[in-house]
Amino acid sequence: MITKTAHSTLLKTTVIAAAASLAVLLAACGGGGGGSSAGSGATTPASGTSGASAPATALPPQSSVPAATYTSNSPAAQIFTTINGYRQQLGVGQMRQDTVLDTAALAHANYEQANLASGAITGYAHDEASTLPGFTGAWPLQRAQAAGAPKNEWVGEVVGGAYEANPPGTPGTDCANEWLDTVYHLQGVTSNTESMGVGVASSTPTSTTPGVGSTCVLDMGTSTGVGASPDTGNTADTNTVPYAGGQQFAANLIVHAPVSGETGVLTAMHVETPNPAPDVSVPGHPVMVRVNAQKGDTLTVSSFQLVDPNGAIVPARILVPQSAVSGSGAGVTADPNNGLLNGVAFLLPLGSLKANTTYTATFSGSRDGTPMSTSWSFTTGAQ
């Protein structure tokens, strides 16, 4: 479950992970102490001390970052390239490679892969049990610090898996694209984080099982301008991205996904847990809008529609945080899992979108009372 808590003057939110589907498996929800599936259950975070505060000024969105050192076209390189490419299109800034987080992410990927294979755990998760092989830390923050992350760095994580029937395939690209076809994962990987570490662990094909299963872990760091440090002794801090700091886009902008003119958009949402619409059998591809929420700013929704080329309105549910229900139009629905962040709203079609069709999305609302609106189009792919 994504949680929202306050730490001194710092507002923060826990990054989601999710559950299974056809091509890629996404981990059960992590931070805040929920969604444990490792061995004997959630491990109580160890007590820790906070380091010095980060510089007071956040970064603008970074349009370029140093070249990553991953092997060319490796699964890790695929994730790095796909996520950063999409973040660049959105205007939220690319994340630089963080080799310390690489170490932490790979360690957790190996832990998940090995313990899933042995049956010690039954699904992807963010927590680790100290009694199981490969343990490096109970939660993403502890694992990052064990690998050498600075005490003032906040760490959020997403986890998933891919299966390639005819390896090598593109497991990293598959994991990344599935994260981008969800509600909570999409929100997480397009947040104000500034660095990333990637780990991918894969099975070894044999003559009887020629396919390859891979576990993908993406750890995201935020330290610039956060103003306070995470507490390893507070479970709510251990898989979390702060509202403040990191990369902050302009307060008068609306970021949206799919992006303007995007093609090949998937027609249906990838399944995730918690399910943002458990009563909808096959939701369409999620449509997200987000605004700068570095002070926990509230985005209310006046109108949010998706129309097809004939002008027909697509039946959809408008999901907002509970804090945004008051002040929004009557058609909004409070996120049933309390997982949406301030400054974010989703339009979730109540059925699959049509293939090879151009849709137009129109949004109007307010950021802390200041009116904001936008309209754009995107085109679905064959599926």
Side-chain angles (χ1 to χ4, degrees):
M1 181 71 66
I2 293 182
T3 59
K4 302 189 184 83
T5 57
H7 180 80
S8 301
T9 58
L10 178 69
L11 293 172
K12 61 181 183 299
T13 55
T14 302
V15 170
I16 191 74
S21 83
L22 297 176
V24 175
L25 303 177
L26 303 177
C29 70
S36 165
S37 68
S40 60
T43 305
T44 303
S47 176
T49 58
S50 296
S53 295
T57 303
L59 300 169
Q62 303 296 289
S63 59
S64 64
V65 292
T69 60
Y70 307 115
T71 300
S72 178
N73 204 37
S74 66
Q78 293 165 15
I79 290 175
F80 183 86
T81 300
T82 302
I83 294 298
N84 265 346
Y86 204 71
R87 288 178 60 94
Q88 178 72 12
Q89 292 182 70
L90 262 65
V92 298
Q94 298 186 44
M95 293 185 285
R96 67 182 182 277
Q97 181 186 10
D98 186 326
T99 56
V100 170
L101 294 185
D102 283 336
T103 299
L106 181 57
H108 188 54
N110 286 330
Y111 170 94
E112 295 283 290
Q113 187 82 2
N115 288 295
L116 282 167
S118 70
I121 60 176
T122 58
Y124 291 123
H126 299 297
D127 60 312
E128 293 186 3
S130 61
T131 55
L132 293 181
F135 173 83
T136 54
W139 293 99
L141 179 65
Q142 285 91 337
R143 294 191 290 272
Q145 291 190 0
K151 299 296 185 181
N152 71 325
E153 183 172 44
W154 296 80
V155 180
E157 179 178 87
V158 293
V159 180
Y163 179 77
E164 304 295 334
N166 298 297
T170 55
T173 302
D174 293 344
C175 282
N177 283 334
E178 295 292 346
W179 291 330
L180 296 173
D181 184 35
T182 61
V183 170
Y184 304 120
H185 285 78
L186 172 62
Q187 171 184 250
V189 300
T190 61
S191 66
N192 54 299
T193 48
E194 61 188 276
S195 66
M196 76 165 95
V198 183
V200 180
S202 300
S203 63
T204 301
T206 67
S207 58
T208 55
T209 56
V212 172
S214 299
T215 298
C216 306
V217 177
L218 173 60
D219 284 346
M220 298 165 284
T222 312
S223 56
T224 304
V226 296
S229 299
D231 178 4
T232 57
N234 180 357
T235 307
D237 286 10
T238 57
N239 184 18
T240 296
V241 174
Y243 282 118
Q247 303 186 74
Q248 299 287 342
F249 58 88
N252 64 344
L253 293 181
I254 299 177
V255 167
H256 55 75
V259 299
S260 298
E262 185 173 344
T263 59
V265 173
L266 295 175
T267 59
M269 186 191 84
H270 183 76
V271 177
E272 64 180 336
T273 299
N275 191 333
D279 59 319
V280 180
S281 58
V282 184
H285 184 84
V287 180
M288 179 188 73
V289 292
R290 73 186 309 160
V291 297
N292 183 303
Q294 62 182 323
K295 297 180 180 179
D297 309 84
T298 299
L299 176 67
T300 54
V301 179
S302 301
S303 176
F304 199 177
Q305 290 187 337
L306 187 66
V307 300
D308 69 15
N310 298 318
I313 297 173
V314 175
R317 183 169 298 166
I318 312 305
L319 295 174
V320 298
Q322 181 64 52
S323 60
V325 172
S326 177
S328 291
V332 304
T333 298
D335 170 28
N337 302 301
N338 292 321
L340 290 186
L341 316 184
N342 284 357
V344 175
F346 273 87
L347 181 150
L348 189 61
L350 299 182
S352 294
L353 300 178
K354 300 173 185 176
N356 302 312
T357 301
T358 298
Y359 289 89
T360 299
T362 303
F363 170 85
S364 65
S366 296
R367 175 182 180 268
D368 285 351
T370 299
M372 305 185 77
S373 63
T374 189
S375 182
W376 76 102
S377 297
F378 61 88
T379 303
T380 57
Q383 60 180 12

